[in-house]
Amino acid sequence: MAIPTLLRNLQTSINSTASITLLKHYFSTSNPKKFHLLPTQFSIIRSFSSSKVNTKVNFTPPNSPDPEPEPDTKPINLPPPYDPFSDKPALEEPADPKNLQEVFHRMRTEGMINNAVKMFDEMSKDGLTHEALELFREIKDKGTMPDVVSYTAVIEAYANAGQSKEAYKVYRLMLSCGVKPNAYTYGVVIKSLVSSRDEKLLGEAKKCVLEMLGKGMRVNVVTCVSVFEALVKEGKVVEAKELLKEMKGKGFVLDDVGVCEVLKGKRGPHVRMLKDLLLKD
């Protein structure tokens, strides 16, 4: 199915209660699997059946109907347990992010478990441990993947493919269905919007940043720098100063050390302007 067709179907097939989204239709398998959280290891495993040799002896009398054959089960390839101390990415990126057909095929066949682990990992790194644990608690208690994980995975797929407008459409669809974005979702959306070099989408990125702060969410330094870098590159220095002032008015505190780390190795006249903006009062 072509990606634009997929998006149209997603937009037109959501029911009125928004309790069951079409994303579950697209990215679920014929045999839904439960997810379980092991709190002591922050690991997720899926309950599954493994192939076994039938060693049962048939004691059925001759005149009895034939017993029903056991279902043919196949082993499921599970991801390795999540290791919070590993430097290895939680989710292996596709070889070609622009090949959305392959990306969405992997989502359908492999499920969203790795996307959930990546979301948990990134939120934990940003110090959002409580929010991360709430995410996995929902998976454990309900036995299903939260809608925010599914929507964010699709948004991120479009963003990685360089299709910022499509990513934003899915984000708007997500909001219309009553699914609330978390800090990780906002980060994905904002970085996608600022990478578009589109003035309108850049304005939407600013709105998302202020919306995060209004909800009491933390804007990480990478997301923050990406917004101001985009504004400075577009010559909107005054607008960037106004945004920073508004953010500080909402309680935002800039991480100077983090800013220097993000800008390390970057060159160009805009970098000096960016440092002057963010690191000097």
Side-chain angles (χ1 to χ4, degrees):
M1 178 179 293
I3 297 304
T5 303
L6 170 61
L7 182 59
R8 285 197 299 272
N9 288 342
L10 287 173
Q11 291 172 325
T12 57
S13 302
I14 301 298
N15 59 38
S16 58
T17 62
S19 59
I20 303 177
T21 68
L22 192 61
L23 284 175
K24 290 184 178 178
H25 168 74
Y26 277 105
F27 305 112
S28 62
T29 61
S30 58
N31 295 309
K33 305 172 185 65
K34 294 265 186 178
F35 296 89
H36 304 280
L37 173 65
L38 299 180
T40 58
Q41 300 177 353
F42 296 121
S43 303
I44 297 182
I45 59 172
R46 278 180 276 190
S47 59
F48 64 98
S49 300
S50 59
S51 297
K52 298 184 293 184
V53 178
N54 186 359
T55 58
K56 295 180 180 179
V57 179
N58 187 0
F59 291 102
T60 307
N63 295 331
S64 300
D66 293 334
E68 294 184 2
E70 290 191 355
D72 183 20
T73 57
K74 296 181 179 180
I76 300 169
N77 295 323
L78 300 176
Y82 170 63
D83 181 2
F85 303 104
S86 174
D87 292 331
K88 186 177 179 181
L91 177 62
E92 182 181 352
E93 300 297 339
D96 182 10
K98 293 186 178 181
N99 186 355
L100 288 172
Q101 183 176 0
E102 175 63 23
V103 172
F104 289 130
H105 173 72
R106 285 182 59 182
M107 288 184 187
R108 289 195 301 271
T109 57
E110 299 178 11
M112 297 287 182
I113 187 68
N114 286 332
N115 298 89
V117 171
K118 181 181 180 182
M119 183 178 287
F120 171 85
D121 186 43
E122 294 299 325
M123 288 197 292
S124 297
K125 288 178 181 177
D126 288 338
L128 304 174
T129 308
H130 176 74
E131 291 83 350
L133 291 176
E134 282 296 321
L135 172 71
F136 273 8
R137 186 174 293 112
E138 183 177 353
I139 297 173
K140 175 180 178 290
D141 293 344
K142 296 183 179 180
T144 58
M145 189 61 67
D147 286 339
V148 66
V149 175
S150 303
Y151 274 104
T152 303
V154 178
I155 293 169
E156 192 164 18
Y158 279 119
N160 291 341
Q163 298 189 27
S164 300
K165 290 184 178 180
E166 300 302 316
Y168 190 59
K169 285 180 182 178
V170 179
Y171 172 68
R172 299 299 302 175
L173 174 64
M174 171 184 172
L175 297 181
S176 69
C177 293
V179 180
K180 296 180 180 179
N182 56 31
Y184 180 78
T185 306
Y186 273 117
V188 170
V189 172
I190 291 169
K191 283 183 280 187
S192 173
L193 293 173
V194 300
S195 68
S196 68
R197 305 295 296 272
D198 181 286
E199 185 173 352
K200 182 179 179 181
L201 294 184
L202 184 54
E204 294 300 322
K206 290 169 51 183
K207 291 180 182 178
C208 286
V209 169
L210 295 174
E211 190 175 302
M212 284 186 72
L213 294 174
K215 292 180 177 180
M217 294 184 181
R218 183 183 304 172
V219 182
N220 68 38
V221 67
V222 175
T223 302
C224 175
V225 171
S226 69
V227 174
F228 287 103
E229 187 173 13
L231 288 169
V232 170
K233 281 184 176 180
E234 294 300 316
K236 300 180 182 295
V237 179
V238 175
E239 192 173 324
K241 290 180 178 179
E242 292 175 351
L243 175 62
L244 182 59
K245 182 179 180 180
E246 192 171 354
M247 290 173 63
K248 288 183 176 180
K250 291 180 177 291
F252 175 71
V253 178
L254 194 61
D255 178 6
D256 293 350
V257 176
V259 171
C260 292
E261 187 67 26
V262 173
L263 295 178
K264 184 191 299 184
K266 292 191 176 186
R267 297 290 183 270
H270 76 280
V271 177
R272 173 54 57 189
M273 297 173 65
L274 196 56
K275 287 182 178 180
D276 289 342
L277 171 67
L278 298 177
L279 301 178
K280 294 182 180 179
D281 293 331

